Amino acid sequence: KTSIDVFNLVFQNKRHSLEHKESIMHRHDNSNSDGGMTSIATCGKGFVLCGKNGFVGVYEAHVNSKGKSSFLSTRTIHLGEHILSSLCAAPENDQIIALSTNMQPFVLPLGNDAKDEEIKSTYSFFSHIGTIIDMDICNAQYLIATCGSDRSVRLWDYTACKCRLSHAFCSEDPVAVAIHGYRLLVGFKDHIQMFYITVDGLMEFRDMQ
């Protein structure tokens, strides 16, 4: 196996400007990949990144004896030959969702004591008729929102492995989705629609063009 280094620049917002805080080197082993980071997401104590060779790296903030803070690698997860393209993390939970380039999602445990065998593919229930275009995770509930090329938006309970809601758009293609509590934003090419999530489905309350 060949050691591959990935360098990441971490920035923090200060007085409406970006300030370079720290450079991080992520080291992992995989001889069958060209490496490279593809996505990054914040989590409860730090951030998570993923790469082309199926690795997921978890970093958490630590303060040393001199009072200096830095991010340290606490866990690395390997998903084999899957090329990961995006991540969604729930800060208050110990799970993240990783999406591969072939639109196969994975539920990943973040705890230091979690075992790699706990990782499970959610492909069997987490799918559209066609490609998944975008997804977002709800911090207040165990829900993931997705939109697909089948012109639908769906809400998934990733603990029960069930689709809780499906809403189809007859004449428009959704290209982005975001969920916050009981509100859902769906982006189209020329406008954004905002919905309330109810027991009966989605109820639109604003259309921004």
Side-chain angles (χ1 to χ4, degrees):
K1 295 183 178 182
T2 303
S3 179
I4 300 173
D5 297 331
V6 178
F7 294 87
N8 307 290
L9 297 179
V10 179
F11 298 85
Q12 64 179 8
N13 199 352
K14 185 177 182 181
R15 295 181 179 178
H16 305 288
S17 63
L18 291 177
E19 176 184 333
H20 176 239
K21 181 180 181 181
E22 186 178 355
S23 296
I24 295 177
M25 181 179 67
H26 180 79
R27 182 179 296 274
H28 54 91
D29 294 328
N30 195 316
S31 58
N32 298 318
S33 173
D34 58 358
M37 186 181 72
T38 57
S39 182
I40 188 169
T42 59
C43 60
K45 297 180 180 180
F47 62 91
V48 185
L49 58 86
C50 67
K52 293 180 180 179
N53 58 357
F55 78 86
V56 177
V58 181
Y59 285 82
E60 295 183 353
H62 292 268
V63 179
N64 61 22
S65 58
K66 297 181 180 180
K68 182 179 179 180
S69 62
S70 62
F71 289 99
L72 299 179
S73 175
T74 58
R75 186 158 189 237
T76 299
I77 303 170
H78 293 283
L79 298 178
E81 299 300 320
H82 295 281
I83 301 176
L84 303 178
S85 60
S86 61
L87 293 170
C88 286
E92 296 182 358
N93 297 313
D94 290 331
Q95 291 179 317
I96 62 173
I97 305 297
L99 188 66
S100 68
T101 53
N102 64 353
M103 299 303 154
Q104 182 172 356
F106 294 88
V107 177
L108 309 175
L110 286 180
N112 294 332
D113 55 347
K115 300 179 181 180
D116 284 356
E117 45 266 31
E118 293 179 22
I119 298 171
K120 59 181 179 179
S121 170
T122 58
Y123 183 78
S124 59
F125 82 97
F126 190 92
S127 61
H128 285 250
I129 303 174
T131 303
I132 297 175
I133 298 174
D134 192 29
M135 69 174 186
D136 191 26
I137 195 168
C138 181
N139 294 336
Q141 306 178 70
Y142 295 103
L143 292 177
I144 300 169
T146 61
C147 63
S149 59
D150 55 0
R151 291 183 172 177
S152 73
V153 169
R154 305 188 186 195
L155 299 183
W156 310 86
D157 184 332
Y158 60 86
T159 60
C161 295
K162 293 182 179 180
C163 179
R164 295 299 187 187
L165 184 151
S166 179
H167 183 91
F169 299 90
C170 298
S171 59
E172 294 184 288
D173 296 310
V175 296
V177 66
I179 183 172
H180 181 74
Y182 292 96
R183 297 181 181 182
L184 183 75
L185 277 71
V186 182
F188 302 90
K189 291 183 179 180
D190 57 356
H191 67 109
I192 298 174
Q193 288 183 336
M194 304 177 69
F195 298 89
Y196 287 121
I197 302 171
T198 72
V199 293
D200 298 320
L202 297 182
M203 183 178 69
E204 181 182 348
F205 69 92
R206 184 173 300 176
D207 192 331
M208 296 181 291
Q209 298 184 4

